[in-house]
């Protein structure tokens, strides 16, 4: 799928106030991206407590957003290469804008983002979207990313 400028602004609201928003939105809309519905293979039992998703979620987290954050690594690939050298952004990211993948920061953000891409899909701690960005698709990185 190719993101429209409207979808890029909704998916990445921080770009609207960014000084470099035009370049970032142009990058996000420059070619096809791959949006995936991601689910935990063995979700926790109902009522089981999990860690709160977000950039600080640890490796022992029981929800898919935290697991995707762990797999993706820090948003800046330079930092990712130092701190998490096997992460997707360390291996496939070029810079802070072209960092290969997007992971929703939480369930409410995932629901907002998913409503733009998929019909009738509700995000939970076990289900969310992963976006492989257009620059990674242009470099034929979808297979290596998906194999990780």
């Amino acid at each position: 799928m190719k993101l429209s400028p409207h979808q890029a602004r909704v998916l990445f609201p921080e770009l609207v106030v960014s000084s470099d928003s035009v370049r970032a939105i142009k990058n996000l809309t420059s070619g096809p991206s791959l949006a995936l519905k991601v689910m935990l293979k063995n979700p926790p039992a109902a009522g089981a407590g999990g860690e709160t998703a977000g950039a600080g979620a640890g490796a022992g987290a029981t929800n898919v957003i935290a697991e995707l954050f762990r797999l993706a690594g820090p948003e800046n690939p330079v930092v990712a290469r130092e701190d998490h050298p096997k992460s997707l952004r360390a291996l496939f990211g070029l810079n802070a804008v072209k960092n290969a993948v997007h992971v929703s920061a939480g369930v409410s953000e995932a629901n907002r983002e998913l409503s733009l891409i998929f019909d009738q899909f509700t995000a939970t701690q076990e289900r969310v979207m992963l976006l492989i960005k257009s620059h990674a698709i242009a470099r034929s990185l979808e297979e290596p990313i998906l194999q990780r």
Side-chain angles (χ1 to χ4, degrees), residues 19 22 27 33 58 65 70 74 93 109 115 117 123-125 136 144:
S19 61
V22 172
N27 172 62
S33 296
I65 295 172
R70 183 191 60 73
E109 292 86 356
S115 68
I117 310 296
T124 67
Q125 287 188 347

Side-chain angles (χ1 to χ4, degrees), residues 54-130:
T62 58
N63 70 64
V64 71
I65 295 172
E67 286 300 310
L68 286 175
F69 265 101
R70 183 191 60 73
L71 182 63
E75 286 189 8
N76 187 326
V78 174
V79 174
R81 285 184 197 100
E82 287 181 23
D83 297 343
H84 302 281
K86 294 183 179 182
S87 70
L88 295 174
R89 291 176 176 142
L91 296 170
F92 306 113
L94 300 175
N95 56 47
V97 174
K98 295 182 177 182
N99 63 0
V101 297
H102 167 72
V103 178
S104 303
V107 174
S108 61
E109 292 86 356
N111 277 316
R112 179 180 49 79
E113 295 168 359
L114 288 164
S115 68
L116 287 173
I117 310 296
F118 299 106
D119 291 333
Q120 312 238 338
F121 185 79
T122 303
T124 67
Q125 287 188 347
E126 293 83 35
R127 297 185 308 226
V128 74
M129 180 183 77
L130 171 71

Side-chain angles (χ1 to χ4, degrees), residues 7 10 14 16 18 38 55 70 76 87 96 104 111 126 148:
Q7 288 172 315
V10 173
E14 67 278 6
V16 176
S18 166
V38 180
R70 183 191 60 73
N76 187 326
S87 70
S104 303
N111 277 316
E126 293 83 35
R148 301 287 302 161

Side-chain angles (χ1 to χ4, degrees), residues 34 132 136-147:
L34 180 60
I132 300 176
I137 300 293
R139 294 171 45 220
S140 300
L141 295 175
E142 59 271 25
E143 273 301 315
I145 288 172
L146 292 173
Q147 289 176 2

